[in-house]
Amino acid sequence: MTLQNKTAIVTGASRGIGQAIALELAKEGAKVVVNYSGSEARAQQVVEQIQAAGGEAIAVQANVADAESVAQLMSKALETFGSIDILVNNAGITRDNLLMRMKEDEWDDVMNTNLKGVFLCTKAVTRQMMKQRSGRIVNISSIVGVSGNAGQANYVAAKAGVIGLTKTTAKELASRNILVNAIAPGFITTDMTDELSEELKTAMLAQIPLAKLGQPEDIAKAVAFFASDAASYITGQTLHIDGGMVM
Ligand code: NAD
């Protein structure tokens, strides 16, 4: 186990990629704070899965786009486990529309959760990580933040912003031994992608050299690597996990 005695906060961890990350970090020995905004029952199931495998976890409700809520999430994590060693900024939403039809609230909702949320959570853990003189932050961006994608101006701008934020925080925090990296997933099978039409899924599959969709575990294993000692000389990087879609 590579993460024993570490505490990890995973945002948006009640399902999909976040759930897989929470399970993987726990498997590597981390105590996990399973953040959720929606279904408490699903977050509790993730906690029970971790506990059944002999791990430690708690579920904490918080909206990553709200500073007060984020502060409560951090306090609860600290109060329960005593440290915050790993933050995974995973929570994200889509509100897709063509630019000319995109409403201001669709823009704002996505920017607030997907970009401002990363800023707020990063800022909130940084004070504690600075005191500890160590920390790992892993931001979940998207391959479309690198390549662009028609119909997702809000999402692409936020995910590109996450890559910029990753590089900047990596530079600002390196002297305190806080390492910040990003992962840009391609097309991963989750509830988020289940909502897409079959036509779009077939078109996307045709662009993937490895000719298959990714699984949440593909992302989770890379997060565990970035959080581990094996990645102690890596910061400010964005790892594409996309079956070779964007090279
Ligand atoms: P998902 O919709 O299954 O899960 C997203 C989670 O984030 C949910 O649990 C949701 O409740 C939570 N969440 C949403 N808003 C929140 C808020 N304000 N505060 C706290 N939690 C909030 O999606 P997923 O596919 O598992 O995606 C996880 C991350 O990976 C997202 O950042 C997404 O943009 C990114 N991503 C996904 C794919 C993909 O193909 N699935 C590709 C690239 C990037």
Side-chain angles (χ1 to χ4, degrees), residues 12-18 35-38 62-65 90-93 113-114 140-143 155 159 185-188 190-193:
S14 59
R15 66 182 206 186
I17 293 172
N35 160 248
Y36 67 98
S37 66
N63 172 9
V64 296
N90 166 79
I93 57 168
T113 298
N114 297 12
I140 307 301
S141 175
S142 168
I143 207 67
Y155 185 81
K159 293 299 189 181
F187 196 61
I188 310 297
T190 65
D191 290 354
M192 185 182 268
T193 45

Side-chain angles (χ1 to χ4, degrees), residues 89 111 114-116 118-119 122 137-148 154-172 180-186 226 235-242 246:
N89 283 307
M111 293 305 278
N114 297 12
L115 185 55
K116 186 181 168 191
V118 178
F119 159 69
T122 299
I137 300 173
V138 185
N139 297 325
I140 307 301
S141 175
S142 168
I143 207 67
V144 301
V146 179
S147 65
N154 48 3
Y155 185 81
V156 168
K159 293 299 189 181
V162 167
I163 293 173
L165 189 55
T166 299
K167 291 177 185 171
T168 295
T169 44
K171 286 187 176 179
E172 283 192 21
V180 190
N181 290 289
I183 290 173
F226 276 134
T235 195
Q237 303 304 305
T238 299
L239 178 63
H240 297 188
I241 303 182
D242 64 350
V246 176

